[in-house]
Amino acid sequence: MISPLVADALVVVTLVGFYGGLARDLGATAEFLDPRLGLGLSLGTYVAGGVATLLALATVAVETSTASPAAEVIATVVALSLLFAAAFGVCFRVGTAVYAILLRVGFRLPRR
């Protein structure tokens, strides 16, 4: 069973991952408009990664504090770490893909 804390943290990590993927490509495009805007959005990717990492570490720490045997603690750490890493990675790629689709529609680029 998944705890409410893990569920809430997972939602935030996925949203931050989506923002990170979107900001990564948006930063490169915004570079043409204003270099400062492009730099700010490019740094947003690293901020998103840092926020997701800190939130995942805090959640893992809280969840493992309630586990008693060492094997259960190790299993909890590994499972939650993989869960958060996969959620962030998938949503990061989805954010990149959504931006590519929006760019293609905005510039009316043909499909290959």
Side-chain angles (χ1 to χ4, degrees):
M1 183 80 187
I2 191 166
S3 73
L5 175 66
V6 173
D8 292 343
L10 189 60
V11 167
V12 172
V13 167
T14 55
L15 289 174
V16 168
F18 179 78
Y19 166 74
L22 202 58
R24 180 180 150 242
D25 284 347
L26 189 57
T29 305
E31 190 78 28
F32 294 116
L33 300 174
D34 184 12
R36 291 176 295 177
L37 180 63
L39 177 65
L41 285 169
S42 295
L43 289 176
T45 303
Y46 298 108
V47 170
V51 166
T53 302
L54 290 175
L55 180 63
L57 283 174
T59 304
V60 168
V62 168
E63 288 296 318
T64 56
S65 69
T66 60
S68 358
E72 189 176 320
V73 170
I74 292 170
T76 303
V77 168
V78 169
L80 288 177
S81 299
L82 290 175
L83 175 71
F84 285 126
F88 183 83
V90 166
C91 287
F92 189 90
R93 298 304 288 166
V94 168
T96 304
V98 165
Y99 180 73
I101 290 169
L102 292 175
L103 197 63
R104 197 174 285 277
V105 167
F107 287 134
R108 293 189 178 94
L109 298 174
R111 284 192 275 172
R112 290 182 178 195

